[in-house]
């Protein structure tokens, strides 16, 4: 123990962020707990990967002469397997207790449990009996008439033929993430399928230039309108989108296109439903979750995991390994991390000083779980990607565990969408504060990588507005025709491009966009519900708008493609030379250097500046290589690419160039050899 204590005496995180020095002991305790719990949890296992094999033991497993079915139900008095294989006889197939809460039955004959057979497990606890869905079931289906969910045996005759053995995530490739939802990814008023996504949407994503997709709502959830965030069956993919083979085909195809695939993983909470989910599976409220009110999320009406139980860690860690092994996912975006980190779930708390991260409100058990999760994922696949959705700004979230961090690769820049929406809602264009924009988009934890984004699915949901809708509102319905010159739409398109470009180049080492927002999708997302007469009209994406030659949406998608191509070709997201060159708050101008290029933004709504002088940090000649005002982006072609700008030296000992800066335009300059 002495050696371990000494090991954590001088953590690297303290050198990276000296402001953490007052919390040295807290960080040391974090790491001591990580080491202690890891040793205790692993037992005779040599690694977390060896430990996280619950899916290889529990659930249904076909062998040469029959089937094994095993379950973990420590609170159960009796357990039976029932299904269409035994005409739903509740008691003909009892499981045997193996001790320590484990139950098992062997069913002789491989053909007894046929492919697509429906099954349930009957649990008796405290004298009360209930039919449940097996914990490790790989597929759960809903009866169209009764709406009742059942587990389903999935045992196809042939294994899926993976062809992605040579797929590797290129080292240092910046993440350009296309956040997607399978069900609403099509235009028809229905639930979309994995196959439709593979055939129709993947080619769009590839053509647009995104190199990563983030799949939402894949884990089974009984209520479609939950956007997939109230998971019921953790090892089952949503059957409403198709079969396991169809998801595998989607991922295999994406890999053949060079596209990384991330799963939006929900380990922050679970649906409270008894019949469909894991809540009270063994008859107790504490099998997976905290008992009593502590186990209830006060805002989400869901159940909260007890990360202090090794059996719960075993279940969740096995779940991560399952998706890496079974479906070849390349990593995870962890949802609701803030809720996990704090006993107050981050509700009503301003994280305005470091003490908020190391108080009695911090859930150290959840932090340890997240460290284990990141260690496991990178142990299985060293190039796997993990992203944390945390709005609190927990220090060390994206630092290596051995540094005293939590081990994520990236965190979402969650303040950025809030920044833009607040600005559009409350401030006139001419009153935008350039210094505040610079500060908010560039301030982040040292040596921690961020995913910048203007808007995600959160801003696309009914009750909120997308950036394009904030900018154009109802005018989008009437003035998006290509031959319609409208001032509101002109402003919206100009700012839509500038806001994205500024965010892309400043807010992170990666970038995220929710599907459709790249071309200014005009309407929100509203899932079928009683309040809209169970309509699918708003639970879809209208690709025909961007495909139409008669509408202006085509210009926004062309800009998005060009922007992605520009940052990839010039390695902007990985550049380490960011330098603020000039901010003119009165003129609404920001100038900075990144990746050796000079970025100029004139956000002023009216003022275009002749012979505006901007400083550059290197004497020579410059030319325009990119701008948002090109006609191909429905700009006004006010920026020439032919002019060569030469520096001049002025009294303040600074090299400058003079150029024309049109209003609401972004320009990028590159130094050239004379």
């Amino acid at each position: 123990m002495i050696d371990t204590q000494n090991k954590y005496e001088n953590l690297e995180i303290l050198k990276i962020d000296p402001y953490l020095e007052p919390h040295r002991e807290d960080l040391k305790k974090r790491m001591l707990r990580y080491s202690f719990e890891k040793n205790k949890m692993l037992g005779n296992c040599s690694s977390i990967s060896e430990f996280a094999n619950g899916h290889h033991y529990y659930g249904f497993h076909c062998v040469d002469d029959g089937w094994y079915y095993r379950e973990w139900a420590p609170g159960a008095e009796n357990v039976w397997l029932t299904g269409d294989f035994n005409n739903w006889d509740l008691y003909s197939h009892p499981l045997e207790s193996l001790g320590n809460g484990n139950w098992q039955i062997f069913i002789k004959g491989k053909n007894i449990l046929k492919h697509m057979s429906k099954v349930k497990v009957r649990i008796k606890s405290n004298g009360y009996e209930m039919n449940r869905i097996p914990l490790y079931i790989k597929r759960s289906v809903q009866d169209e008439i009764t709406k009742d969910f059942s587990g389903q045996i999935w045992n196809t005759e042939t294994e899926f033929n993976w062809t992605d053995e040579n797929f590797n995530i290129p080292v240092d490739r910046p993440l350009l993430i296309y956040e997607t939802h399978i069900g609403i990814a099509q235009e028809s008023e229905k639930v979309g399928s994995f196959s439709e996504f593979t055939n129709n949407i993947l080619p769009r994503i590839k053509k647009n230039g995104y190199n990563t997709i983030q799949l939402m709502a894949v884990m089974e959830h009984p209520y479609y309108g939950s956007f997939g965030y109230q998971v019921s069956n953790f090892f089952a993919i949503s059957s409403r989108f198709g079969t396991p083979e169809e998801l595998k085909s989607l991922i295999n195809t994406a890999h053949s296109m060079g596209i990384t695939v991330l799963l939006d993983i929900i380990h922050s909470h679970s649906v409270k439903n008894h019949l469909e989910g894991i809540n009270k599976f063994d008859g107790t409220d504490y099998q997976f979750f905290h008992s009593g009110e502590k186990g209830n999320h006060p805002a989400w009406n869901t159940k909260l995991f007890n990360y202090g139980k090794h059996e719960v860690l075993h279940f969740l860690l096995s779940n991560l390994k399952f998706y890496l092994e079974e479906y070849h996912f390349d990593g995870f975006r962890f949802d609701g991390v803030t809720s996990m980190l704090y006993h107050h779930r981050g509700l009503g708390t301003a994280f305005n000083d470091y003490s908020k991260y190391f108080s009695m409100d911090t859930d150290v058990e959840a932090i340890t779980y997240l460290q284990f999760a990141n260690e496991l994922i990178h142990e299985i696949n060293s190039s796997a990607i993990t992203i944390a959705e945390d709005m609190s700004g927990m220090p060390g979230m994206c630092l290596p565990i051995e540094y005293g961090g939590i081990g994520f690769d990236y965190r979402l820049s969650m303040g950025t969408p809030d920044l833009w929406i607040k600005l559009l809602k409350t401030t006139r264009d001419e009153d935008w504060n350039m210094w505040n924009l610079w500060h908010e988009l560039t301030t982040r934890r040292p040596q921690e990588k961020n995913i910048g984004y203007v808007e995600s699915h959160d801003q696309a949901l009914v009750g909120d507005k997308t950036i394009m809708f904030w900018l154009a509102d109802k005018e989008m319905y009437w003035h998006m025709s290509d031959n319609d010159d409208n001032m509101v739409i002109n402003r919206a398109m100009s700012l839509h491009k500038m806001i994205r470009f500024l965010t892309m180049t400043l807010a992170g080492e990666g970038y995220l966009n929710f599907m459709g927002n790249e071309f200014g999708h005009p309407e929100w997302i509203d899932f079928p519900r009683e309040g809209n007469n169970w309509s699918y009209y708003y639970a879809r994406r209208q690709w025909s708008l961007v495909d139409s030659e008669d509408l202006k949406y085509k210009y926004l998608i062309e800009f998005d493609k060009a922007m992605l191509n520009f940052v990839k070709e010039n390695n902007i997201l990985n550049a380490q030379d960011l330098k603020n060159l000039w901010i003119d708050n009165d003129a609404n101008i920001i100038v900075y250097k990144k990746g050796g290029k000079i970025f100029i933004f004139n956000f002023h709504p009216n003022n275009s500046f002749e012979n505006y002088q901007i400083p550059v940090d290197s004497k020579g000649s410059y030319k325009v290589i990119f701008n948002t005002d090109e006609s191909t982006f429905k700009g006004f072609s006010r920026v020439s690419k032919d002019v060569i700008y030469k520096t001049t030296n002025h009294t303040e000992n600074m090299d400058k160039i003079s150029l024309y800066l049109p209003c609401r335009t972004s320009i990028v300059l590159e130094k050239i050899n004379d």
Side-chain angles (χ1 to χ4, degrees):
M1 190 69 175
I2 295 175
D3 290 340
T4 303
Q5 294 217 17
N6 290 336
K7 178 181 178 181
Y8 299 130
E9 198 62 47
N10 294 294
L11 292 166
E12 189 70 21
I13 190 174
L14 296 168
K15 301 174 187 176
I16 294 171
D17 188 351
Y19 288 105
L20 286 168
E21 184 58 42
H23 307 285
R24 173 186 289 269
E25 287 303 311
D26 293 291
L27 289 164
K28 180 179 173 181
K29 288 177 182 177
R30 172 192 292 182
M31 295 309 299
L32 287 171
R33 187 182 194 283
Y34 156 79
S35 291
F36 177 78
E37 290 297 328
K38 181 179 175 181
N39 290 333
K40 184 178 176 183
M41 178 181 74
L42 293 187
N44 295 325
C45 296
S46 61
S47 66
I48 294 183
S49 180
E50 185 182 343
F51 170 77
N53 280 326
H55 53 298
H56 292 308
Y57 179 76
Y58 295 109
F60 293 88
H61 298 279
C62 186
V63 294
D64 289 339
D65 56 344
W67 288 81
Y68 279 103
Y69 167 53
R70 302 184 187 95
E71 201 60 87
W72 177 61
E77 299 167 15
N78 296 100
V79 180
W80 301 268
L81 179 64
T82 183
D84 52 20
F85 76 98
N86 67 359
N87 294 316
W88 296 101
D89 189 308
L90 298 180
Y91 305 112
S92 64
H93 287 75
L95 275 68
E96 173 191 4
S97 174
L98 303 179
N100 298 318
N102 295 311
W103 300 80
Q104 174 180 286
I105 186 174
F106 177 72
I107 302 174
K108 191 170 181 60
K110 292 179 66 173
N111 293 324
I112 300 298
L113 289 177
K114 298 182 184 300
H115 175 55
M116 299 182 70
S117 296
K118 293 182 180 180
V119 293
K120 289 189 178 183
V121 57
R122 189 165 183 83
I123 306 284
K124 180 179 180 181
S125 177
N126 295 318
Y128 181 74
E129 296 181 11
M130 180 182 288
N131 288 346
R132 310 303 304 273
I133 297 176
L135 289 177
Y136 284 79
I137 198 74
K138 294 182 180 180
R139 185 169 170 83
S140 176
V141 293
Q142 186 176 26
D143 187 280
E144 292 184 3
I145 299 174
T146 66
K147 304 304 181 184
D148 184 34
F149 278 86
S150 299
Q152 188 175 55
I153 300 297
W154 201 257
N155 187 40
T156 54
E157 291 184 1
T158 58
E159 290 189 10
F160 182 80
N161 182 30
W162 290 99
T163 59
D164 64 350
E165 59 274 1
N166 294 322
F167 175 77
N168 290 298
I169 302 171
V171 177
D172 295 331
R173 181 175 78 169
L175 285 187
L176 300 173
I177 303 173
Y178 202 75
E179 185 184 36
T180 66
H181 182 288
I182 300 298
I184 65 174
Q186 38 65 54
E187 190 153 357
S188 302
E189 294 182 40
K190 63 171 188 175
V191 177
S193 69
F194 292 127
S195 295
E196 287 173 316
F197 188 93
T198 303
N199 296 329
N200 303 327
I201 309 305
L202 275 180
R204 288 183 181 272
I205 296 169
K206 176 66 175 177
K207 182 179 178 182
N208 288 358
Y210 291 90
N211 58 31
T212 305
I213 57 173
Q214 180 178 300
L215 297 182
M216 304 175 61
V218 168
M219 303 165 78
E220 187 60 84
H221 49 289
Y223 178 46
Y224 188 45
S226 75
F227 227 138
Y229 288 119
Q230 294 193 10
V231 174
S232 52
N233 313 115
F234 283 76
F235 290 82
I237 62 166
S238 179
S239 58
R240 57 171 62 87
F241 302 142
T243 68
E245 285 69 36
E246 288 165 342
L247 175 57
K248 291 174 182 179
S249 180
L250 187 163
I251 296 171
N252 198 47
T253 304
H255 286 167
S256 73
M257 296 177 171
I259 296 174
T260 300
V261 187
L262 305 179
L263 174 63
D264 200 354
I265 197 84
I266 320 298
H267 282 183
S268 49
H269 62 132
S270 176
V271 71
K272 69 176 184 179
N273 303 30
H274 297 174
L275 295 178
E276 297 92 353
I278 65 174
N279 185 24
K280 294 187 177 179
F281 178 82
D282 70 347
T284 70
D285 68 345
Y286 52 81
Q287 182 182 5
F288 287 100
F289 312 112
H290 291 289
S291 187
E293 277 306 305
K294 187 178 179 181
N296 299 323
H297 197 291
W300 298 344
N301 196 27
T302 51
K303 300 300 295 182
L304 295 168
F305 286 104
N306 180 356
Y307 303 107
K309 289 181 67 171
H310 290 169
E311 295 89 347
V312 173
L313 298 182
H314 186 240
F315 181 80
L316 295 175
L317 292 171
S318 298
N319 192 229
L320 296 172
K321 185 175 181 179
F322 168 77
Y323 282 108
L324 293 170
E325 288 183 338
E326 183 77 10
Y327 290 102
H328 292 203
F329 277 101
D330 303 301
F332 304 92
R333 178 263 202 189
F334 279 71
D335 175 71
V337 169
T338 305
S339 176
M340 299 172 71
L341 294 175
Y342 309 99
H343 296 300
H344 52 58
R345 309 304 156 198
L347 301 173
T349 301
F351 294 92
N352 49 15
D353 70 76
Y354 276 34
S355 65
K356 300 289 181 67
Y357 305 114
F358 303 100
S359 66
M360 294 295 292
D361 288 325
T362 303
D363 190 337
V364 294
E365 294 173 346
I367 290 176
T368 303
Y369 165 65
L370 291 172
Q371 290 176 311
F372 290 160
N374 278 292
E375 182 173 350
L376 168 72
I377 293 162
H378 294 108
E379 193 176 284
I380 295 172
N381 180 359
S382 60
S383 63
I385 296 162
T386 58
I387 303 171
E389 188 209 30
D390 169 39
M391 51 73 62
S392 75
M394 168 67 78
M397 181 68 71
C398 300
L399 289 178
I401 297 167
E402 61 268 24
Y403 284 18
I406 300 178
F408 282 94
D409 297 299
Y410 297 86
R411 71 193 320 152
L412 291 175
S413 294
M414 297 189 69
T416 307
D418 296 337
L419 164 74
W420 288 119
I421 289 174
K422 182 179 179 182
L423 203 59
L424 294 174
K425 286 173 65 175
T426 64
T427 309
R428 299 187 310 163
D429 294 6
E430 55 266 41
D431 294 333
W432 287 13
N433 188 308
M434 300 294 106
W435 285 105
N436 185 56
L437 276 181
W438 174 264
H439 173 77
E440 292 295 335
L441 291 174
T442 61
T443 302
R444 40 191 177 267
R445 299 287 181 212
Q447 296 187 31
E448 298 194 40
K449 294 193 291 187
N450 283 42
I451 301 293
Y453 62 108
V454 176
E455 52 191 338
S456 67
H457 68 275
D458 287 328
Q459 288 72 42
L461 285 168
V462 65
D464 205 335
K465 292 182 180 180
T466 63
I467 293 295
M468 191 61 179
F469 223 56
W470 279 113
L471 288 165
D473 208 66
K474 65 181 183 299
E475 302 299 317
M476 290 187 71
Y477 293 118
W478 313 110
H479 299 288
M480 286 299 284
S481 294
D482 198 5
N483 59 2
D484 188 336
D485 187 22
N486 179 272
M487 290 181 61
V488 173
I489 297 300
N490 289 343
R491 167 186 177 264
M493 293 184 69
S494 295
L495 288 179
H496 194 268
K497 292 179 288 186
M498 293 183 72
I499 287 170
R500 275 168 156 65
F501 194 42
L502 188 72
T503 302
M504 163 76 83
T505 55
L506 283 185
E509 293 70 33
Y511 178 76
L512 177 143
N513 167 72
F514 179 69
M515 61 177 181
N517 288 351
E518 70 277 11
F519 66 82
H521 198 284
E523 291 170 336
W524 52 87
I525 298 166
D526 190 11
F527 286 96
R529 55 187 174 85
E530 188 175 1
N532 64 15
N533 294 317
W534 304 103
S535 170
Y536 285 87
Y537 183 80
Y538 293 108
R540 62 192 181 117
R541 298 281 87 179
Q542 299 181 57
W543 304 108
S544 58
L545 296 176
V546 72
D547 292 340
S548 173
E549 287 298 318
D550 299 326
L551 300 175
K552 295 175 183 175
Y553 298 102
K554 64 183 179 182
Y555 298 112
L556 294 178
I557 194 71
E558 286 306 314
F559 172 75
D560 201 65
K561 291 178 189 176
M563 177 179 69
L564 294 176
N565 187 57
F566 172 81
V567 298
K568 284 189 287 189
E569 283 190 349
N570 295 282
N571 200 28
I572 299 299
L573 293 180
N574 287 330
Q576 301 294 313
D577 62 341
L578 178 64
K579 183 179 181 180
N580 184 344
L581 295 176
W582 183 255
I583 289 183
D584 184 340
N585 209 44
D586 293 330
N588 291 55
I589 290 173
I590 296 178
V591 183
Y592 54 91
K593 176 185 176 182
K594 191 174 185 183
K597 310 297 185 285
I598 306 299
F599 293 78
I600 308 164
F601 287 75
N602 178 8
F603 277 102
H604 203 283
N606 307 308
N607 293 345
S608 299
F609 301 96
E610 295 279 356
N611 298 317
Y612 190 92
Q613 294 184 350
I614 65 166
V616 293
D617 65 349
S618 179
K619 183 180 294 186
S621 299
Y622 293 80
K623 69 174 183 178
V624 174
I625 59 170
F626 187 82
N627 76 92
T628 60
D629 200 47
E630 293 185 21
S631 59
T632 51
F633 312 145
K634 201 56 176 179
F636 299 100
S637 300
R638 294 168 294 174
V639 179
S640 173
K641 287 188 174 182
D642 299 326
V643 177
I644 303 299
Y645 303 96
K646 293 182 179 293
T647 56
T648 56
N649 193 267
H650 292 266
T651 53
E652 58 265 45
N653 230 5
M654 185 182 295
D655 293 308
K656 293 185 177 181
I657 58 174
S658 297
L659 72 167
Y660 174 57
L661 296 185
C663 61
R664 288 190 180 131
T665 298
S666 310
I667 299 172
V668 183
L669 301 176
E670 180 180 61
K671 189 177 180 181
I672 61 174
N673 295 322
D674 295 321

